[in-house]
Amino acid sequence: AVPRSRDAETTAKGTIPPMQRSTILVVDDSITTRTLEKGILEAAGYRVVVCVDGQDALDRLRAAVEPVDLVVADVEMPRLDGFGLLEALRKEPAFARLPIILMTSRGDAEDVARGLALGADAYLTKQSFDQGRLLETIGQLL
């Protein structure tokens, strides 16, 4: 398959000048959460790709299916959790600087400290979920 450039995609629709849309990878084992986050991010103008767990995300990123500008990942997932995904990505030069936001129900200080120590750029909890805060955090990191 020949990768389509973002420019070709935009200009195929008419005379609209090409717009660079950032691509966000949403990683969560909950279909409800993935769908909610995808809807919020697409409404804000982002391109969204979803993965069902950390291993799925790691495989997809390593395969370079498409360029990803930022990752929003849950912590508690089967196969490879968010901490493991974060740790694996930070060890690889290609992803060492990729902005990663952990979005989880695990909000105790120990988990937050662990996520930040492993290299998360932000740690948001689902209990205090605020789509404005999520979009603001993404805006600051991109």
Side-chain angles (χ1 to χ4, degrees):
V2 177
R4 290 174 35 197
S5 76
R6 291 180 179 155
D7 295 1
E9 204 170 282
T10 307
T11 51
K13 294 177 187 164
T15 56
I16 302 163
M19 182 181 95
Q20 290 294 84
R21 290 200 314 163
S22 296
T23 299
I24 297 176
L25 176 62
V26 171
V27 189
D28 201 302
D29 59 321
S30 159
I31 188 164
T32 307
T33 303
R34 281 196 313 269
T35 305
L36 173 70
E37 290 177 10
K38 185 177 198 288
I40 290 167
L41 297 171
E42 285 179 341
Y46 295 106
R47 222 180 132 262
V48 181
V49 180
V50 293
C51 286
V52 298
D53 62 31
Q55 190 61 56
D56 185 27
L58 191 57
D59 293 344
R60 187 176 187 119
L61 287 165
R62 285 176 173 160
V65 176
E66 68 273 289
V68 169
D69 301 299
L70 183 139
V71 175
V72 177
D74 186 16
V75 169
E76 294 180 50
M77 297 180 286
R79 295 200 305 160
L80 182 64
D81 69 10
F83 292 138
L85 173 62
L86 179 58
E87 204 168 6
L89 291 174
R90 289 298 179 238
K91 287 179 182 171
E92 296 188 27
F95 306 115
R97 299 178 56 95
L98 178 65
I100 301 172
I101 298 172
L102 290 179
M103 170 92 82
T104 177
S105 54
R106 292 171 63 164
D108 60 283
E110 193 179 295
D111 285 325
V112 175
R114 181 177 177 204
L116 297 174
L118 288 172
D121 294 283
Y123 194 106
L124 304 175
T125 57
K126 291 178 182 174
Q127 286 89 337
S128 60
F129 180 74
D130 171 356
Q131 77 179 55
R133 184 159 173 237
L134 173 63
L135 293 171
E136 183 184 313
T137 303
I138 290 170
Q140 290 168 356
L141 294 172
L142 287 176

